[in-house]
């Protein structure tokens, strides 16, 4: 029902009307990347900033560089990985993780905005983000990094042109612009896919597992809406080449949904899950067990934290 | 989209105004979207808004929400007034439906079986806004409480294995309630229910 051409036109004029000099927070996901591309069409000064939080997957930075150059986005990539990771030390509560990450994002953006002389912050917030982030009579299910982490008083004016869109509509507009389709990736990154404390070591394990899951899933004809591993702090007994092991657990989450607001676990071919399991346990010595998540939304959310 | 549907959309566009009363549900915005996709202008308002605001409404939808209706009635704001001040059609979803039951003199309390996610909902009658919905649908649920009873002014018209009251309608007024969530994409024929409701709201 959404008309992509009209939406883009309206958004461009909305941005031109509301932003003189702005900074755009780009996570590399479908939403903020789309916003970066739409904003690059506006006759306004906008700097798109992508922060390397150290909580990213292996290919994220390379991919965003390519998009910046092929769509003429005025973009900048900042490495703040040690800042983010040091702040997450000893933190295990998922809401605290999300809030710390959100606050750190804002801090970095505010600093960049000051350097750039921006008065506005553009964010790719979409409908489910602010719906799930609570407020008023709504229960907070999760603090989304681009909503819940915002300080009460901020020096930047918030501009969110995608506020009323759902994921499927973001995809529709992205397709219209020829943007590559990527599976959703949460703002707080791999931090909320590591249950318990986030460490460099765990991030490396999860990155390798993520590569395997993404590669093996790409062989599916019908890819799920989202497909990713979660690293659990659960140790179990295993046997690797006649030797006893006591390793960590990876949970695989495949989700089918239209808009992310409700969904079911996918029923992929067993062989895909088998390949993923074999490769993870073969290639990542720290892992000796792989499980599959068979919970729908509701009662579970898509991400584990 | 069929030609018939396009004509239907053109007819109702810009002629109607539906208000979605936000009781804090995770899917309030989905209701807005479903109505919008059917070509009708709707506005989400908090349940604390003054009833005067609804004077131009052609119909209202009472959204779901986290309130436990037994102990947290105050979280439902002014919806009692919204229901009785005007004569427009009302669709209550989840906690919205539970409110209608209580308001009628019925009873709502903790469900014997909470329901989350997919359940089969069976219709025993398909009058009113349930016209054109199959006898059984896969519907999405999300509730801890359930309707134990509702006044005789209402006809209970759907059930699931674990919940006796899944849908109902008023005998004389256009008031409808669903315990499941027709606005959620995974619910089969949810759009049909919304379309029928919009039809009822046409002046």
């Amino acid at each position: 029902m959404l008309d992509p051409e009209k939406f883009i036109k309206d958004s461009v004029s909305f941005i031109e009307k509301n932003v003189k000099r702005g900074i755009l927070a780009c996570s590399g996901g479908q939403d903020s990347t789309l916003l970066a591309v739409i904003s690059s069409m506006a006759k306004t000064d906008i700097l798109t900033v992508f922060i390397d939080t150290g909580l990213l997957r292996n290919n994220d930075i390379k991919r965003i560089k390519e998009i910046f150059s092929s769509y003429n986005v005025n973009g900048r990539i900042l490495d703040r990985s040690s800042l983010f990771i040091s702040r997450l030390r000893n933190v295990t509560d998922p809401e605290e993780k999300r809030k710390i990450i959100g606050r750190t994002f804002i801090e970095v953006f505010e600093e960049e905005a000051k350097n750039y002389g921006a008065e506005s912050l553009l964010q790719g917030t979409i409908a489910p983000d602010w719906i799930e982030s609570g407020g008023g009579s709504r229960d907070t299910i999760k603090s989304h990094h681009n909503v819940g982490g915002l300080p009460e008083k901020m020096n930047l004016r918030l501009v969110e042109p995608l506020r009323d869109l759902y994921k499927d509509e973001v995809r529709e507009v992205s397709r219209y612009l020829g943007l590559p389709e990527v599976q959703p990736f949460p703002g707080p990154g791999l931090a909320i896919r590591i249950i318990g404390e986030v460490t460099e070591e765990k991030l490396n394990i999860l990155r390798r597992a993520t590569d395997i899951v993404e590669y093996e899933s790409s062989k599916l004809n019908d890819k799920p809406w989202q497909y990713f591993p979660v690293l659990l702090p659960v140790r179990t007994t295993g046997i690797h080449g006649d030797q006893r092991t006591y390793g960590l657990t990876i949970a695989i989450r495949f989700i089918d949904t239209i808009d992310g607001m409700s969904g079911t676990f996918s029923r992929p071919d067993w062989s895909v899950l088998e390949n993923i399991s074999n490769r993870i346990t073969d290639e990542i010595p720290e892992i000796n067990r792989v499980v599959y998540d068979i919970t729908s939304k509701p009662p579970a959310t898509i991400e584990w934290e | 989209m069929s030609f018939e549907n396009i004509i239907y959309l053109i007819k109702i566009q810009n002629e109607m105004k539906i208000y979605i009363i936000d009781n804090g549900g995770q899917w309030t915005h989905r209701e807005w979207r479903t109505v919008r996709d059917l070509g009708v202008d709707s506005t989400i308002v908090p349940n604390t808004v003054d009833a005067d605001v609804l004077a131009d409404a052609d119909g209202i939808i009472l959204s779901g929400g986290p309130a436990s209706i037994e102990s947290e009635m105050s979280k439902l704001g002014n919806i009692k007034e919204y229901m009785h001040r005007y004569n427009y059609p009302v669709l209550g979803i989840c906690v919205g439906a539970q409110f209608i039951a209580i308001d009628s003199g019925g009873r709502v309390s903790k469900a014997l079986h909470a329901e989350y996610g997919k359940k089969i909902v069976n219709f025993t009658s398909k009058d009113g806004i349930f016209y054109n919905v199959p006898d059984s649908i896969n519907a999405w649920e999300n509730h801890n409480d359930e309707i134990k009873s509702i006044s005789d002014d209402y006809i209970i018209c759907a059930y699931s294995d674990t919940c006796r009251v899944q849908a109902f309608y008023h005998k004389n007024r256009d008031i409808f309630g669903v315990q499941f969530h027709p606005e959620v994409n995974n619910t089969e024929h949810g759009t049909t229910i919304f379309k029928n409701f919009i039809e009822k709201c046409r002046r």
Side-chain angles (χ1 to χ4, degrees), chain A residues 53-299:
Chain A
T53 56
L55 309 169
L56 301 171
R57 293 163 297 185
N58 279 330
N59 290 321
D60 284 327
I61 292 178
K62 186 171 157 258
R63 195 171 46 81
I64 205 70
K65 275 184 182 157
E66 282 166 10
I67 289 175
F68 281 0
S69 75
S70 51
Y71 284 88
N72 282 323
V73 174
N74 178 27
R76 185 177 296 167
I77 293 167
L78 298 176
D79 181 2
R80 293 290 183 274
S81 49
S82 44
L83 176 69
F84 276 85
I85 290 166
S86 69
R87 288 200 177 163
L88 288 170
R89 202 165 289 145
N90 293 322
V91 178
T92 55
D93 180 71
E95 276 303 278
E96 217 184 317
K97 278 185 197 171
R98 283 177 176 267
K99 281 177 185 154
I100 288 170
I101 293 166
R103 271 199 301 273
T104 311
F105 262 118
I106 288 293
E107 223 180 278
V108 176
F109 281 124
E110 278 196 319
E111 194 192 313
E112 263 318 281
K114 214 169 144 191
N115 294 341
Y116 189 66
E119 88 289 334
S120 297
L121 172 66
L122 289 94
Q123 289 202 125
T125 309
I126 63 168
D129 298 339
W130 58 266
I131 290 168
E132 288 198 341
S133 287
S137 52
R138 216 177 312 281
D139 248 26
T140 301
I141 305 300
K142 291 175 182 178
S143 301
H144 284 267
H145 75 290
N146 44 1
V147 183
L150 291 181
E152 297 252 320
K153 256 189 93 125
M154 200 173 54
N155 299 321
L156 290 165
R157 218 161 70 90
L158 206 55
V159 180
E160 298 174 319
L162 312 184
R163 248 187 100 77
D164 280 330
L165 291 196
Y166 282 83
K167 267 288 188 237
D168 55 308
E169 297 173 312
V170 169
R171 287 190 171 181
E172 213 179 310
V173 182
S174 300
R175 259 198 303 274
Y176 180 83
L177 287 171
L179 275 164
E181 232 171 276
V182 293
Q183 64 157 325
F185 185 66
L190 299 179
I192 56 162
R193 292 178 180 172
I194 293 172
I195 313 305
E197 195 192 352
V198 178
T199 62
E200 284 281 12
E201 193 202 348
K202 285 185 177 172
L203 282 164
N204 282 329
I205 294 173
L206 188 55
R207 264 187 212 114
R208 283 146 74 197
T210 304
D211 274 349
I212 294 170
V213 171
E214 290 193 346
Y215 180 81
E216 295 300 327
S217 308
S218 69
K219 295 177 184 167
L220 285 165
N221 288 330
D222 248 335
K223 258 185 283 180
W225 196 72
Q226 221 175 321
Y227 40 99
F228 58 89
V230 179
L231 180 59
L232 310 187
V234 177
R235 282 185 189 277
T236 66
T237 306
I239 175 153
H240 283 189
D242 285 342
Q243 285 175 355
R244 180 185 194 273
T245 55
Y246 192 53
L248 293 168
T249 308
I250 285 276
I252 307 293
R253 183 89 163 129
F254 279 21
I255 278 282
D256 290 328
T257 167
I258 300 286
D259 58 10
M261 296 301 285
S262 63
T264 54
F265 63 88
S266 313
R267 293 161 172 80
D269 201 273
W270 280 108
S271 63
V272 173
L273 292 176
E274 192 176 27
N275 287 342
I276 288 174
S277 168
N278 282 338
R279 280 196 56 198
I280 287 177
T281 47
D282 279 0
E283 296 171 31
I284 310 175
E286 294 89 342
I287 304 295
N288 67 356
R289 198 170 293 269
V290 178
V291 298
Y292 188 60
D293 182 351
I294 52 168
T295 329
S296 294
K297 172 179 180 173

Side-chain angles (χ1 to χ4, degrees), chain A residues 1-2 127 130-132 137-139 141 163-164 166 168-169 256 258-259 261-264 296-299, chain B residues 1 9 22-30 32-33 36-37 66 75 116-118 140-142 184-186:
Chain A
M1 206 55 75
L2 182 88
W130 58 266
I131 290 168
E132 288 198 341
S137 52
R138 216 177 312 281
D139 248 26
I141 305 300
R163 248 187 100 77
D164 280 330
Y166 282 83
D168 55 308
E169 297 173 312
D256 290 328
I258 300 286
D259 58 10
M261 296 301 285
S262 63
T264 54
S296 294
K297 172 179 180 173
Chain B
M1 193 182 292
L9 285 177
D22 184 11
N23 293 314
Q26 299 299 317
W27 291 322
T28 301
H29 204 282
R30 271 272 359 161
W32 176 84
R33 180 182 175 181
R36 183 203 66 185
D37 285 356
K75 286 193 179 170
Y116 313 112
K118 186 162 91 177
W140 233 237
E141 304 276 353
N142 207 8
V184 165
N185 211 281
N186 295 75

Side-chain angles (χ1 to χ4, degrees), chain B residues 42-203:
Chain B
S42 79
T43 309
I44 301 176
V45 293
N47 61 20
T48 47
V49 83
D50 197 288
D52 291 347
V53 170
L54 306 179
D56 66 340
D58 294 297
I60 62 168
I61 296 171
L62 307 173
S63 88
S68 168
I69 211 161
E70 268 183 307
S71 54
E72 300 176 310
M73 199 57 153
S74 64
K75 286 193 179 170
L76 295 180
N78 305 328
I79 66 176
K80 191 181 180 75
E81 204 190 337
Y82 305 159
M83 257 191 78
H84 298 292
R85 166 98 74 98
Y86 306 102
N87 209 33
Y88 43 48
V90 177
L91 169 61
I93 297 174
C94 197
V95 99
Q98 293 170 3
F99 171 81
I100 294 171
I102 284 204
D103 187 59
S104 79
R107 215 164 56 80
V108 173
S109 61
K110 196 168 163 46
L112 209 52
H113 298 272
E115 294 179 315
Y116 313 112
K118 186 162 91 177
K119 287 285 173 306
I120 296 170
V121 167
N122 307 293
F123 286 88
T124 48
S125 148
K126 289 183 289 183
D127 287 335
I129 61 168
F130 308 108
Y131 172 71
N132 258 345
V133 176
D135 292 346
S136 289
I137 56 169
N138 280 316
W140 233 237
E141 304 276 353
N142 207 8
H143 62 112
N144 298 308
D145 292 348
E146 69 184 6
I147 296 166
K148 305 285 187 192
S149 64
I150 188 164
S151 96
D152 290 342
D153 293 337
Y154 289 88
I155 292 176
I156 297 170
C157 63
Y159 66 93
S160 69
D161 277 352
T162 39
C163 178
R164 203 175 59 85
V165 184
Q166 285 288 357
F168 57 79
Y169 57 89
H170 196 280
K171 285 177 185 164
N172 311 312
R173 243 194 91 181
D174 283 333
I175 303 178
F176 310 92
V178 284
Q179 180 60 67
F180 60 93
H181 288 268
E183 73 276 26
V184 165
N185 211 281
N186 295 75
T187 297
E188 294 167 351
H189 302 277
T191 312
T192 309
I193 294 171
F194 272 90
K195 198 171 150 186
N196 292 339
F197 179 69
I198 288 166
E199 199 66 45
K200 291 277 178 203
C201 298
R202 285 168 89 160
R203 267 192 263 247

Side-chain angles (χ1 to χ4, degrees), chain A residues 6-75:
Chain A
K6 184 174 180 295
F7 178 80
I8 294 163
K9 237 177 86 189
D10 290 350
S11 301
V12 167
S13 61
F14 175 78
I15 292 165
E16 284 173 347
K17 210 185 292 168
N18 287 285
V19 182
K20 272 208 199 80
R21 203 170 162 84
I23 184 161
L24 190 149
C26 180
S27 70
Q30 199 88 57
D31 312 338
S32 56
T33 306
L34 172 64
L35 182 60
V37 170
I38 289 177
S39 299
S40 71
M41 301 172 190
K43 290 181 200 69
T44 321
D45 286 325
I46 291 171
L47 175 68
T48 293
V49 176
F50 177 88
I51 301 174
D52 178 0
T53 56
L55 309 169
L56 301 171
R57 293 163 297 185
N58 279 330
N59 290 321
D60 284 327
I61 292 178
K62 186 171 157 258
R63 195 171 46 81
I64 205 70
K65 275 184 182 157
E66 282 166 10
I67 289 175
F68 281 0
S69 75
S70 51
Y71 284 88
N72 282 323
V73 174
N74 178 27

